[in-house]
Amino acid sequence: MIIFLTFSSEQEQDKFEYLFHQYKKLLLHHTYGILKDYALAEDAVSEAYIRVYKNLHKIDRPDSPRTVAFLVTIARNISLTMLAQEKKHLTEVLFEEQSDGFDLEETILTRVSTARVQELLHQMREELRGVFILKYTYDLSHREIADTLGISENNVTVRLHRAKKTLAAALKKEGFENG
Amino acid sequence: MDKKEEFLRRAANEYVELQGEALRQEADRLNREAVYPTAGLERRVFNAVRPRKRRWLASLAAVAACLALVFLGGRTLFGDGGSAPSPTAQTPDDTGIIALSFQVPTGFTQTGMEQDQGKSIYYFDDRLGDNVVLTLEKPTTLIDASSFTELNINDADAYAASKEGYQIMTFEKDEVLYTLTCRYDVNTLLRFGEVIL
């Protein structure tokens, strides 16, 4: 597919060029780590940049930690999707559960340390964490997350639900242990 | 926003800040050390997104033109062991212009030239967006090489550095000091070095 996109301003172009030149090696490094194939890694990074382009309005400061995490989250998740497609393990799960997955007593939230929450997020499966981060850090809608990661909106909902459920389960345990 | 949503948002943001900082440091390290062939990737990405004309070219030119003055003193780049004057050394014409003596690398187009206080400044557009400014001058000052990485290109010495907001490479050939700058990738400058040296 040939896509031609044009920048709407020089500022946008500057921003995009900075992101490309500053982080291209980082993204190649991460995608190669997942895909173990340089050509596929290049595919993933190229796709990631095109999707980043479509979300340029979400990026205020190209050199901020938030921005680099945004890029890496997108590139790594695209790689994971490609890997799953390669292995034909990608299955569409229908979302039927009604609760939001994060069914916690609010009192537990105040008892859990920030460091522990970070640790739990770090341990979370990357496919789940990626969606979680795009939703809660960058305020992307389910539709936007789906477009950015190249997955269905339903898949976004499922992953988000699972992410919150995983976090809630771990936090509940922490709460009981600490309580 | 309810407390649970607020908690999730805060957790995600704190995680991203922490991871992002580590990733930024990793990016800096990879930019310094890693050698990945990225030309193909650049072509693909910048074929999909069409660049507009850049406004920062002029400031890059100013950087290039001033560099020899900025790095005065310290270790001499082109002292003992530097490239010897060649019998075919480039000489300025009546107007003081030092002409180009190499073929512009593929993917670059010369877009301008100006003369400023004995310096001939050439501008090159890069198809991939990393435009280059080349300054040619007679080497009358010493340059501090302490903050440069020494390179060997076609058996000649060259010196490159990654500075805040731009990349720089400098070398001497045929009694002319070449100073190249671009915005993003020192590999862009190396492509010029390879055709000049």
Side-chain angles (χ1 to χ4, degrees):
Chain A
M1 181 170 56
I2 298 173
I3 307 166
F4 290 114
L5 306 162
T6 309
F7 296 99
S8 59
S9 68
E10 286 187 359
Q11 286 77 11
E12 266 202 350
Q13 183 178 338
D14 284 349
K15 199 193 292 181
F16 185 81
E17 286 178 355
Y18 178 88
L19 295 175
F20 182 80
H21 290 286
Q22 183 63 20
Y23 300 125
K24 63 185 176 187
K25 287 184 181 176
L26 179 70
L27 298 194
L28 280 168
H29 182 74
H30 278 259
T31 53
Y32 182 81
I34 293 168
L35 295 161
K36 311 293 182 202
D37 178 298
Y38 192 80
L40 288 177
E42 212 177 83
D43 286 348
V45 174
S46 169
E47 192 56 42
Y49 271 112
I50 288 169
R51 293 180 193 178
V52 164
Y53 171 88
K54 292 174 180 169
N55 285 285
L56 268 182
H57 61 286
K58 296 274 180 191
I59 297 171
D60 292 330
R61 289 181 44 223
D63 61 343
S64 71
R66 282 170 66 88
T67 299
V68 61
F70 183 60
L71 264 67
V72 170
T73 298
I74 292 172
R76 289 187 65 93
N77 273 270
I78 288 172
S79 303
L80 290 168
T81 303
M82 286 169 64
L83 194 66
Q85 283 166 344
E86 282 271 306
K87 293 180 176 175
K88 301 193 186 308
H89 283 171
L90 188 66
T91 50
E92 188 77 353
V93 183
L94 289 175
F95 185 68
E96 290 170 352
E97 207 162 338
Q98 293 305 308
S99 88
D100 80 339
F102 199 63
D103 51 344
L104 273 182
E105 290 295 329
E106 287 183 354
T107 51
I108 291 178
L109 304 182
T110 60
R111 299 210 302 267
V112 182
S113 73
T114 303
R116 184 64 186 134
V117 175
Q118 301 302 306
E119 208 176 321
L120 293 172
L121 280 174
H122 198 67
Q123 289 164 0
M124 189 183 283
R125 270 176 53 206
E126 194 162 2
E127 297 95 320
L128 307 186
R129 188 174 62 231
V131 170
F132 179 82
I133 283 172
L134 292 177
K135 160 87 176 170
Y136 285 107
T137 305
Y138 303 102
D139 280 329
L140 264 61
S141 67
H142 289 202
R143 178 75 262 156
E144 287 173 319
I145 296 172
D147 290 344
T148 303
L149 299 185
I151 58 178
S152 71
E153 215 172 325
N154 181 63
N155 211 322
V156 171
T157 309
V158 170
R159 288 189 194 188
L160 191 60
H161 178 79
R162 287 182 181 168
K164 289 198 280 188
K165 201 170 177 177
T166 304
L167 191 60
L171 287 175
K172 263 183 193 170
K173 196 177 163 196
E174 294 287 319
F176 290 132
E177 282 172 359
N178 295 338
Chain B
M1 191 190 305
D2 70 28
K3 283 185 178 169
K4 286 180 188 175
E5 282 290 299
E6 195 181 314
F7 174 84
L8 293 171
R9 206 167 287 278
R10 195 176 65 242
N13 275 287
E14 285 170 353
Y15 180 81
V16 158
E17 286 292 333
L18 209 66
Q19 292 301 309
E21 188 50 46
L23 288 166
R24 217 164 53 157
Q25 287 172 19
E26 189 185 2
D28 286 343
R29 182 182 60 77
L30 288 168
N31 285 341
R32 280 195 311 272
E33 299 169 5
V35 182
Y36 287 116
T38 57
L41 175 67
E42 290 189 11
R43 260 192 301 278
R44 288 172 63 176
V45 172
F46 285 94
N47 278 344
V49 293
R50 289 179 168 172
R52 295 164 66 97
K53 188 156 179 65
R54 260 157 265 293
R55 70 177 183 287
W56 50 268
L57 204 58
S59 58
L60 206 56
V63 169
C66 293
L67 281 166
L69 296 174
V70 171
F71 300 107
L72 283 174
R75 180 182 150 206
T76 307
L77 284 180
F78 307 109
D80 294 342
S83 57
S86 147
T88 58
Q90 291 169 261
T91 51
D93 64 15
D94 291 344
T95 59
I97 293 172
I98 305 174
L100 295 181
S101 62
F102 61 91
Q103 192 164 4
V104 178
T106 308
F108 294 88
T109 311
Q110 188 188 329
T111 54
M113 186 270 163
E114 61 183 303
Q115 190 67 10
D116 178 42
Q117 297 181 344
K119 297 184 180 75
S120 301
I121 305 167
Y122 293 88
Y123 300 85
F124 300 94
D125 256 11
D126 176 12
R127 192 173 58 196
L128 305 178
D130 199 11
N131 297 355
V132 171
V133 177
L134 165 64
T135 301
L136 302 180
E137 62 190 307
K138 301 308 281 182
T140 55
T141 55
L142 304 181
I143 299 177
D144 179 5
S146 58
S147 60
F148 284 76
T149 301
E150 193 169 336
L151 305 170
N152 186 288
I153 304 173
N154 299 333
D155 290 329
D157 292 334
Y159 303 85
S162 184
K163 303 285 183 184
E164 184 72 37
Y166 66 96
Q167 313 294 319
I168 175 171
M169 185 169 77
T170 184
F171 51 82
E172 188 181 327
K173 186 192 178 195
D174 297 343
E175 293 186 273
V176 171
L177 180 64
Y178 288 71
T179 305
L180 294 130
T181 55
C182 69
R183 196 174 192 193
Y184 299 114
D185 193 345
V186 78
N187 286 312
T188 306
L189 305 180
L190 288 176
R191 293 184 59 199
F192 273 80
E194 283 164 2
V195 296
I196 298 169
L197 290 168

